[in-house]
Amino acid sequence: MNQSIILIGYMGAGKTTLGKALSQNLGTDFCDLDWYIEEQCGKTIPDIFRESGEEGFRQIEREMLHEVIGKKNTVIAVGGGTPCFFDNMDYMNDKAMTVYLKAEIPTLIDHLHMSHTKRPLLEGKTDSQLAEYIADSLSKREPFYSKAKKTVEIQTIHLQEQIDNYVEIIKKITQQ
Ligand code: S3P
C-alpha cells in the first residue's frame, strides 16, 4: 500500500466497521481518529464536547489528524465531521487515498440505532428530529465529502458477507 487509505462519511456510514475489516484484509494497521483522540486526551469524545465545546473538539481533531496521517501502511477512519472543518479535506486528499462511504439517510439511521457509540451531536433526539438533523447537516457536509478521490455507495452493513463485499469494492477502487 503506497498511501494510507482514509475512510470518510457521515456518522453511521460504516467507517469504523469497514476500516477495521479492510485493514485486516490488507494486513495493515487500523486507526480510528476518535479512538486516537480519546487515548491521547484520556477523555471520551462526549467529555471533550462537554468541557471544550464543539469548537474545542474540532481543534483537537485537526491536531490529531495531522499526527495520524503520518502513519505508514494504515487504514484510517476519521470522524463524520473531520472533512468539514479547516482545510482538513484538502489536507487528507493531499496526503492519502480518500474514500467517501456514501449512505442514504434511512441507512444511516438504521446503522446509528445499532451502534453503541455515544455521539454528542445526536444525543437526545427523537427519530424524527434525528432524520431532520441528518438531512440538514448532510446537505451541508456533502460538498466536503464529495471531494474524496473515490466514492462507494453503502446500502446496509449488517452481515459479514456484506462487510466482505464492501472490503473487496474498496480494495478494487483504491488500486485503480
Ligand atoms: C462527529 C462524528 C463522530 C465524532 C464526533 C463528531 C461528527 O465520529 O467524531 O461525535 O461531527 O459527525 P463518527 O462519525 O465515527 O461517529
Side-chain angles (χ1 to χ4, degrees):
M1 200 162 98
N2 292 330
Q3 274 185 321
S4 49
I5 295 174
I6 301 185
L7 302 183
I8 70 162
Y10 202 81
M11 292 175 267
K15 302 179 295 287
T16 302
T17 304
L18 294 180
K20 260 197 270 182
L22 178 65
S23 67
Q24 274 165 12
N25 184 296
L26 293 171
T28 66
D29 290 333
F30 173 64
C31 172
D32 183 285
L33 182 59
D34 282 336
W35 297 352
Y36 182 83
I37 292 171
E38 292 186 330
E39 217 175 81
Q40 295 301 310
C41 296
K43 291 174 191 163
T44 65
I45 301 293
D47 283 343
I48 299 172
F49 267 77
R50 242 189 320 273
E51 289 171 20
S52 315
E54 182 173 358
E55 210 176 310
F57 172 74
R58 297 302 172 195
Q59 294 285 352
I60 296 169
E61 183 181 45
R62 176 175 185 269
E63 242 172 74
M64 304 281 162
L65 173 67
H66 284 240
E67 287 181 21
V68 303
I69 219 156
K71 291 179 186 287
K72 295 263 171 291
N73 228 20
T74 303
V75 174
I76 302 168
V78 296
T82 314
C84 316
F85 291 84
F86 310 106
D87 61 347
N88 291 350
M89 191 63 221
D90 292 336
Y91 179 69
M92 291 190 281
N93 270 336
D94 195 38
K95 303 278 183 200
M97 166 56 74
T98 50
V99 181
Y100 173 27
L101 305 183
K102 183 175 178 144
E104 299 289 338
I105 296 171
T107 303
L108 295 172
I109 291 177
D110 177 42
H111 289 170
L112 287 166
H113 277 146
M114 289 190 323
S115 159
H116 297 295
T117 304
K118 294 232 177 320
R119 295 175 164 96
L121 296 175
L122 307 180
E123 208 179 274
K125 291 194 169 30
T126 63
D127 276 3
S128 66
Q129 287 168 335
L130 189 64
E132 207 175 305
Y133 177 83
I134 295 178
D136 182 54
S137 61
L138 188 56
S139 69
K140 293 187 182 124
R141 289 178 172 195
E142 189 66 41
F144 295 95
Y145 293 156
S146 60
K147 284 180 160 186
K149 292 178 186 169
K150 307 282 177 183
T151 296
V152 176
E153 309 252 347
I154 303 292
Q155 311 294 344
T156 294
I157 305 174
H158 285 301
L159 308 172
Q160 188 59 43
E161 200 182 313
Q162 293 162 334
I163 295 174
D164 294 343
N165 182 40
Y166 284 121
V167 164
E168 287 309 318
I169 294 173
I170 298 170
K171 262 172 70 176
K172 204 162 150 200
I173 61 162
T174 52
Q175 279 159 9
Q176 281 165 4

